[in-house]
């Protein structure tokens, strides 16, 4: 299975998790661990770059929602960077685009601020 997830610490307590390949039932646990580690290392914002992801299943969606809940519990944020229509369609079909902030590029993710509607989710 083609999968990798790398972490980079950015200024202002931001962690960038760059993911590539397929996120499915087999690889999602590795992504979960990477997200938990970044949160435990003090990141107040997680940026998950999905621009090199070819496939995601429901397990991957669950990992992302779990990470969002973990971050919000600690007054943090999680932002997804995604431009692939096949993935965006998955987020729309599941209505997770209403819960998970999705932006087209890293600069947008760095500057994104949660509106009250996202904070209450």
């Amino acid at each position: 299975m083609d999968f990798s997830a790398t972490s980079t610490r950015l200024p202002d307590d931001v962690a960038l998790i760059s993911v590539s390949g397929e996120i499915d039932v087999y690889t999602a646990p590795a992504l979960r661990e990477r997200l938990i580690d970044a949160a435990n290392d003090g990141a107040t914002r997680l940026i998950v770059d999905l621009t090199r992801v070819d496939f995601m299943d429901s397990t991957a969606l669950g990992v992302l929602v779990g990470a969002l809940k973990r971050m919000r519990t600690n007054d943090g944020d999680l932002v997804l960077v995604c431009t692939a229509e096949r993935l965006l369609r998955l987020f729309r079909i599941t209505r997770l685009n209403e819960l998970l902030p999705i932006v087209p590029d890293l600069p947008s993710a760095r500057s994104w601020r949660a509106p009250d509607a996202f904070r209450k989710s």
Side-chain angles (χ1 to χ4, degrees):
M1 273 157 255
D2 178 31
F3 171 82
S4 73
T6 59
S7 297
T8 306
R9 192 61 182 245
L10 303 174
D12 302 321
D13 295 324
V14 175
L16 171 63
I17 311 298
S18 300
V19 187
S20 65
E22 299 182 359
I23 313 170
D24 57 21
V25 68
Y26 300 106
T27 60
L31 177 59
R32 179 183 296 114
E33 289 303 315
R34 184 72 66 178
L35 294 167
I36 289 170
D37 289 347
N40 288 343
D41 285 343
T44 58
R45 172 175 296 201
L46 294 181
I47 298 173
V48 182
D49 183 354
L50 301 174
T51 56
R52 293 180 294 142
V53 170
D54 302 319
F55 173 82
M56 284 183 12
D57 69 7
S58 60
T59 310
L61 295 176
V63 166
L64 294 173
V65 170
L68 176 68
K69 288 180 180 180
R70 183 175 301 105
M71 292 304 292
R72 293 224 176 123
T73 297
N74 296 315
D75 293 322
D77 286 314
L78 178 138
V79 181
L80 304 179
V81 178
C82 182
T83 57
E85 184 56 36
R86 66 189 171 285
L87 299 181
L88 294 171
R89 188 176 326 116
L90 178 62
F91 288 116
R92 285 192 301 268
I93 289 169
T94 59
R95 297 184 65 165
L96 287 175
N97 63 311
E98 297 173 13
L99 178 66
L100 294 161
I102 303 169
V103 297
D105 53 43
L106 185 56
S108 298
R110 295 281 316 253
S111 64
W112 187 87
R113 296 293 175 253
D116 288 339
F118 273 102
R119 286 263 176 231
K120 295 176 184 172
S121 300

